[in-house]
Amino acid sequence: VERTLSIIKPDATKRNLTGKINAKFEDAGLRIIAQKRIHLSKAQAGVFYAVHSERPFYDELCEFMASEPVVVQVLEGEGAIAKNREVMGATNPADAAPGTIRAEFAESVGENSVHGSDAPETAAVEIAYFFSGLELVG
Ligand code: GTP
Ligand code: MG
């Protein structure tokens, strides 16, 4: 059974959407096996999103991720990585399918409410960035 790293981003925590977003995950059969609310520093956000460091929006992205608390969580289930990305919807809410988290809640391509790992390798690295093995209660 697969695990993926999810982040409920500042635009969503600020608007009290944590519960509604978690309901979408649970309704899709994803189990929340670890979860905590943290306030990232800009430097910590920068390390997390280092893969995007050459992109023009990198600085804006890191500022945004450090602007308010986030909820980091580990979701578990059959095909959790793909299933989570399906529930999230397309990066740009304008392209996101109806009923997805981003279609319902995201404010823009940058402030798009959630993050989800995109492959098993990145999921493993991203989970280890935020959680110790003992914190994963599957
Ligand atoms: P994540 O799950 O957050 O990784 O989203 P994603 O995989 O759907 O998108 P991607 O990895 O390509 O981009 C990472 C994040 O950078 C996005 O979720 C957005 O928050 C942000 N981002 C992507 N494109 C833009 C953009 O054109 N402008 C701004 N401001 N932010 C962007
Ligand atoms: Mg991504």
Side-chain angles (χ1 to χ4, degrees):
V1 42
E2 198 169 64
R3 290 175 173 178
T4 191
L5 189 281
S6 166
I7 305 179
I8 302 179
K9 294 184 178 182
D11 67 283
T13 61
K14 189 167 65 181
R15 288 177 291 145
N16 255 6
L17 293 171
T18 300
K20 284 183 175 146
I21 289 172
N22 278 348
K24 295 268 195 199
F25 295 143
E26 294 189 331
D27 288 349
L30 292 163
R31 300 183 67 81
I32 302 165
I33 63 157
Q35 174 166 264
K36 59 190 170 188
R37 179 174 166 99
I38 60 176
H39 196 146
L40 289 169
S41 68
K42 190 176 171 185
Q44 289 167 336
V47 170
F48 180 76
Y49 274 126
V51 61
H52 295 308
S53 62
E54 301 306 315
R55 309 277 283 276
F57 56 81
Y58 180 64
D59 193 67
E60 189 184 332
L61 175 60
C62 296
E63 284 277 356
F64 165 61
M65 292 299 289
S67 66
E68 295 274 340
V70 297
V71 173
V72 294
Q73 48 195 187
V74 178
L75 308 179
E76 183 181 87
E78 286 301 324
I81 295 170
K83 185 178 282 186
N84 180 38
R85 292 184 69 85
E86 193 180 310
V87 174
M88 288 163 55
T91 309
N92 186 341
D95 304 326
T100 61
I101 291 167
R102 283 164 168 168
E104 287 191 19
F105 304 126
E107 304 200 289
S108 66
V109 66
E111 306 204 358
N112 61 0
S113 302
V114 280
H115 162 85
S117 307
D118 57 15
E121 300 72 32
T122 48
V125 171
E126 291 177 2
I127 289 168
Y129 189 58
F130 292 111
F131 294 97
S132 73
L134 284 174
E135 293 177 299
L136 307 177
V137 187

